[in-house]
Amino acid sequence: MKHRRYLFGVFVLLIFGCNSQKQTVKPTLATDGSEVTGPCSGPEYVSDSDYFRVSALALGGDEEIVRQKTITSARVILAADIQAIVKAVSARYFSSYEIGVRQEDEGRFWALSYEVVHRILNKMDVICEKIIRGPGERYQIHVAIELNRMEVLKALKDNIADDRKLRLNFKYEEFEKIFDEEMKKRIRP
């Protein structure tokens, strides 16, 4: 008897719960092979050999909160892109070091680079911001940000110069050359 009541209760919840949901219309994708682009997208918003660039978008009901979410999302993506470059550069750069020195210096460099990347994000520039207000006071905000590669290199160099142990073996010109090569690899055609 208890089992039947339980099943009946679940059945009632399912019936009324499903009927009370709003119907949402899903956007349809272009099926004709055409490219779909939105605000703050396109070749001028893609990283090149001089700038790290990323785009992001967020949706929501409060314009200021949506703007903050969009900027935060873009900053997270930008930090990940910079860290990926720094990781590739450090792997190549430190491969020429002796094993014992390499492990110690690479570890110090990683700790330093993580700190630098998160501090340098404050120097990023918003290069595009589009606000679209939809039905029901819903906002869609598109943002593109950029950070000059020289800012990243300068911050890394300054922190390396402040680290007594790292600056002894560090060859900045070689590091910069590898950094430039890695930046060029990531340019999208």
Side-chain angles (χ1 to χ4, degrees):
M1 184 70 173
K2 288 182 182 180
H3 184 66
R4 285 185 182 172
R5 284 185 185 170
Y6 176 76
L7 287 176
F8 179 75
V10 170
F11 179 74
V12 169
L13 283 174
L14 285 174
I15 296 291
F16 290 109
C18 291
N19 287 339
S20 67
Q21 291 179 353
K22 292 181 180 178
Q23 295 293 326
T24 57
V25 178
K26 292 187 178 181
T28 57
L29 299 175
T31 58
D32 62 355
S34 62
E35 183 177 346
V36 179
T37 59
C40 301
S41 64
E44 65 271 24
Y45 301 111
V46 176
S47 294
D48 59 26
S49 60
D50 294 322
Y51 289 92
F52 291 96
R53 291 188 186 102
V54 297
S55 299
L57 83 102
L59 308 165
D62 183 307
E63 182 181 351
E64 190 54 36
I65 291 173
V66 176
R67 178 180 282 114
Q68 290 172 3
K69 278 176 40 178
T70 309
I71 294 288
T72 300
S73 178
R75 288 170 58 108
V76 167
I77 297 166
L78 184 63
D81 283 358
I82 295 169
Q83 283 293 90
I85 292 268
V86 171
K87 182 177 182 179
V89 171
S90 69
R92 286 182 54 197
Y93 177 79
F94 286 106
S95 68
S96 65
Y97 272 42
E98 295 175 25
I99 294 297
V101 175
R102 174 186 178 180
Q103 291 171 336
E104 185 178 343
D105 281 2
E106 194 170 20
R108 293 174 75 85
F109 177 79
W110 262 108
L112 177 140
S113 70
Y114 183 80
E115 173 192 323
V116 166
V117 168
H118 291 298
R119 191 179 66 239
I120 196 85
L121 287 176
N122 292 326
K123 295 186 178 191
M124 61 95 185
D125 293 316
V126 176
I127 56 173
C128 177
E129 182 176 25
K130 301 288 184 198
I131 302 170
I132 301 168
R133 191 172 79 192
E137 295 295 314
R138 301 278 300 163
Y139 293 92
Q140 183 182 84
I141 299 181
H142 299 257
V143 167
I145 61 174
E146 73 178 6
L147 182 61
N148 189 313
R149 79 170 177 84
M150 291 307 291
E151 292 283 344
V152 176
L153 279 171
K154 182 183 180 318
L156 286 169
K157 181 181 178 182
D158 291 349
N159 276 28
I160 289 166
D162 290 343
D163 187 296
R164 185 178 53 85
K165 195 128 169 94
L166 264 180
R167 76 172 169 235
L168 291 176
N169 297 320
F170 203 80
K171 298 175 185 105
Y172 180 73
E173 293 77 21
E174 183 180 340
F175 182 82
E176 185 176 9
K177 179 182 172 237
I178 295 170
F179 191 94
D180 290 343
E181 290 169 2
E182 288 297 324
M183 284 290 289
K184 287 177 183 166
K185 282 183 188 177
R186 284 166 169 70
I187 296 174
R188 298 178 193 121

